[in-house]
mmCIF file of all heavy atoms in Angstrom:
data_model
loop_
_atom_site.group_PDB
_atom_site.id
_atom_site.type_symbol
_atom_site.label_atom_id
_atom_site.label_comp_id
_atom_site.label_asym_id
_atom_site.label_seq_id
_atom_site.Cartn_x
_atom_site.Cartn_y
_atom_site.Cartn_z
ATOM 1 N N ALA A 23 118.014 39.138 51.839
ATOM 2 C CA ALA A 23 116.614 38.745 51.618
ATOM 3 C C ALA A 23 115.676 39.580 52.600
ATOM 4 O O ALA A 23 116.030 39.771 53.724
ATOM 5 C CB ALA A 23 116.428 37.170 51.921
ATOM 6 N N GLY A 24 114.551 40.001 52.020
ATOM 7 C CA GLY A 24 113.535 40.733 52.775
ATOM 8 C C GLY A 24 113.904 42.153 53.115
ATOM 9 O O GLY A 24 113.174 42.798 53.802
ATOM 10 N N SER A 25 114.993 42.674 52.557
ATOM 11 C CA SER A 25 115.415 44.002 52.815
ATOM 12 C C SER A 25 114.867 44.998 51.828
ATOM 13 O O SER A 25 114.163 44.631 50.871
ATOM 14 C CB SER A 25 116.880 44.113 52.751
ATOM 15 O OG SER A 25 117.412 43.856 51.442
ATOM 16 N N VAL A 26 114.996 46.356 52.129
ATOM 17 C CA VAL A 26 114.675 47.311 51.234
ATOM 18 C C VAL A 26 115.390 47.119 49.810
ATOM 19 O O VAL A 26 114.776 47.296 48.773
ATOM 20 C CB VAL A 26 115.047 48.717 51.774
ATOM 21 C CG1 VAL A 26 114.758 49.804 50.746
ATOM 22 C CG2 VAL A 26 114.134 49.010 52.952
ATOM 23 N N ALA A 27 116.640 46.653 49.865
ATOM 24 C CA ALA A 27 117.419 46.482 48.705
ATOM 25 C C ALA A 27 116.819 45.269 47.829
ATOM 26 O O ALA A 27 116.778 45.438 46.622
ATOM 27 C CB ALA A 27 118.834 46.105 49.065
ATOM 28 N N ALA A 28 116.189 44.269 48.521
ATOM 29 C CA ALA A 28 115.567 43.207 47.774
ATOM 30 C C ALA A 28 114.354 43.707 47.133
ATOM 31 O O ALA A 28 114.057 43.344 45.959
ATOM 32 C CB ALA A 28 115.234 42.117 48.776
ATOM 33 N N LYS A 29 113.606 44.570 47.715
ATOM 34 C CA LYS A 29 112.388 45.152 47.109
ATOM 35 C C LYS A 29 112.784 46.032 45.961
ATOM 36 O O LYS A 29 112.167 46.011 44.835
ATOM 37 C CB LYS A 29 111.558 45.929 48.110
ATOM 38 C CG LYS A 29 110.894 45.060 49.240
ATOM 39 C CD LYS A 29 110.352 45.812 50.323
ATOM 40 C CE LYS A 29 109.601 45.030 51.352
ATOM 41 N NZ LYS A 29 110.377 44.081 52.021
ATOM 42 N N MET A 30 113.856 46.873 46.129
ATOM 43 C CA MET A 30 114.372 47.681 45.065
ATOM 44 C C MET A 30 114.772 46.768 43.844
ATOM 45 O O MET A 30 114.463 47.154 42.665
ATOM 46 C CB MET A 30 115.488 48.559 45.506
ATOM 47 C CG MET A 30 115.095 49.655 46.484
ATOM 48 S SD MET A 30 116.654 50.482 47.228
ATOM 49 C CE MET A 30 117.275 51.304 45.817
ATOM 50 N N MET A 31 115.453 45.752 44.161
ATOM 51 C CA MET A 31 115.921 44.883 43.044
ATOM 52 C C MET A 31 114.784 44.219 42.294
ATOM 53 O O MET A 31 114.784 44.131 41.039
ATOM 54 C CB MET A 31 116.812 43.802 43.607
ATOM 55 C CG MET A 31 117.477 42.921 42.596
ATOM 56 S SD MET A 31 118.616 41.803 43.302
ATOM 57 C CE MET A 31 119.102 40.805 41.822
ATOM 58 N N SER A 32 113.755 43.775 43.051
ATOM 59 C CA SER A 32 112.639 43.149 42.437
ATOM 60 C C SER A 32 111.856 44.188 41.557
ATOM 61 O O SER A 32 111.530 43.824 40.370
ATOM 62 C CB SER A 32 111.651 42.722 43.542
ATOM 63 O OG SER A 32 110.520 42.249 43.025
ATOM 64 N N ALA A 33 111.695 45.410 41.992
ATOM 65 C CA ALA A 33 110.993 46.495 41.155
ATOM 66 C C ALA A 33 111.816 46.780 39.913
ATOM 67 O O ALA A 33 111.355 46.935 38.870
ATOM 68 C CB ALA A 33 110.795 47.651 42.026
ATOM 69 N N ALA A 34 113.135 46.814 40.084
ATOM 70 C CA ALA A 34 113.997 47.169 38.900
ATOM 71 C C ALA A 34 113.913 46.059 37.928
ATOM 72 O O ALA A 34 113.954 46.300 36.742
ATOM 73 C CB ALA A 34 115.389 47.459 39.459
ATOM 74 N N ALA A 35 113.959 44.820 38.328
ATOM 75 C CA ALA A 35 113.917 43.760 37.472
ATOM 76 C C ALA A 35 112.654 43.622 36.720
ATOM 77 O O ALA A 35 112.494 43.368 35.480
ATOM 78 C CB ALA A 35 114.168 42.365 38.169
ATOM 79 N N ILE A 36 111.522 43.894 37.466
ATOM 80 C CA ILE A 36 110.166 43.816 36.743
ATOM 81 C C ILE A 36 110.119 44.941 35.731
ATOM 82 O O ILE A 36 109.629 44.729 34.614
ATOM 83 C CB ILE A 36 109.114 43.936 37.850
ATOM 84 C CG1 ILE A 36 108.950 42.707 38.685
ATOM 85 C CG2 ILE A 36 107.739 44.283 37.197
ATOM 86 C CD1 ILE A 36 108.126 42.846 39.922
ATOM 87 N N ALA A 37 110.678 46.167 36.086
ATOM 88 C CA ALA A 37 110.535 47.255 35.160
ATOM 89 C C ALA A 37 111.475 47.058 33.927
ATOM 90 O O ALA A 37 111.151 47.654 32.946
ATOM 91 C CB ALA A 37 111.037 48.623 35.879
ATOM 92 N N ASN A 38 112.531 46.242 34.017
ATOM 93 C CA ASN A 38 113.496 46.063 32.927
ATOM 94 C C ASN A 38 113.244 44.708 32.305
ATOM 95 O O ASN A 38 114.185 44.192 31.701
ATOM 96 C CB ASN A 38 114.863 46.114 33.401
ATOM 97 C CG ASN A 38 115.188 47.609 33.797
ATOM 98 O OD1 ASN A 38 115.104 48.503 32.872
ATOM 99 N ND2 ASN A 38 115.544 47.885 34.985
ATOM 100 N N GLY A 39 112.131 44.057 32.383
ATOM 101 C CA GLY A 39 111.913 42.795 31.808
ATOM 102 C C GLY A 39 112.594 41.589 32.424
ATOM 103 O O GLY A 39 112.886 40.691 31.593
ATOM 104 N N GLY A 40 113.033 41.653 33.613
ATOM 105 C CA GLY A 40 113.601 40.392 34.248
ATOM 106 C C GLY A 40 115.021 40.586 34.702
ATOM 107 O O GLY A 40 115.580 39.789 35.449
ATOM 108 N N GLY A 41 115.705 41.669 34.366
ATOM 109 C CA GLY A 41 117.001 41.964 34.762
ATOM 110 C C GLY A 41 117.335 43.344 35.402
ATOM 111 O O GLY A 41 116.426 44.126 35.141
ATOM 112 N N VAL A 42 118.298 43.490 36.182
ATOM 113 C CA VAL A 42 118.643 44.868 36.670
ATOM 114 C C VAL A 42 119.649 45.471 35.696
ATOM 115 O O VAL A 42 120.645 44.937 35.394
ATOM 116 C CB VAL A 42 119.211 44.708 38.170
ATOM 117 C CG1 VAL A 42 119.704 46.064 38.574
ATOM 118 C CG2 VAL A 42 118.233 44.080 39.019
ATOM 119 N N ALA A 43 119.262 46.684 35.210
ATOM 120 C CA ALA A 43 120.106 47.327 34.214
ATOM 121 C C ALA A 43 121.411 47.697 34.812
ATOM 122 O O ALA A 43 121.471 48.226 35.994
ATOM 123 C CB ALA A 43 119.350 48.528 33.688
ATOM 124 N N ALA A 44 122.445 47.576 34.078
ATOM 125 C CA ALA A 44 123.817 48.047 34.535
ATOM 126 C C ALA A 44 123.721 49.534 34.700
ATOM 127 O O ALA A 44 123.123 50.250 33.851
ATOM 128 C CB ALA A 44 124.840 47.631 33.464
ATOM 129 N N GLY A 45 124.412 50.072 35.725
ATOM 130 C CA GLY A 45 124.275 51.471 35.906
ATOM 131 C C GLY A 45 123.103 52.025 36.602
ATOM 132 O O GLY A 45 123.084 53.250 36.978
ATOM 133 N N SER A 46 122.048 51.110 36.877
ATOM 134 C CA SER A 46 120.941 51.602 37.566
ATOM 135 C C SER A 46 121.261 51.780 39.103
ATOM 136 O O SER A 46 122.348 51.366 39.502
ATOM 137 C CB SER A 46 119.838 50.486 37.548
ATOM 138 O OG SER A 46 120.209 49.342 38.299
ATOM 139 N N ILE A 47 120.418 52.500 39.850
ATOM 140 C CA ILE A 47 120.780 52.828 41.179
ATOM 141 C C ILE A 47 120.966 51.481 41.970
ATOM 142 O O ILE A 47 121.732 51.382 42.867
ATOM 143 C CB ILE A 47 119.674 53.765 41.875
ATOM 144 C CG1 ILE A 47 120.145 54.203 43.308
ATOM 145 C CG2 ILE A 47 118.348 52.997 41.897
ATOM 146 C CD1 ILE A 47 121.276 55.059 43.267
ATOM 147 N N VAL A 48 120.158 50.502 41.726
ATOM 148 C CA VAL A 48 120.274 49.173 42.322
ATOM 149 C C VAL A 48 121.660 48.603 42.060
ATOM 150 O O VAL A 48 122.386 48.078 42.982
ATOM 151 C CB VAL A 48 119.196 48.256 42.012
ATOM 152 C CG1 VAL A 48 119.394 46.831 42.604
ATOM 153 C CG2 VAL A 48 117.894 48.775 42.472
#
Side-chain angles (χ1 to χ4, degrees):
S25 66
V26 171
K29 290 175 180 58
M30 290 172 66
M31 183 177 178
S32 176
I36 290 168
N38 288 301
V42 175
S46 69
I47 188 68
V48 174

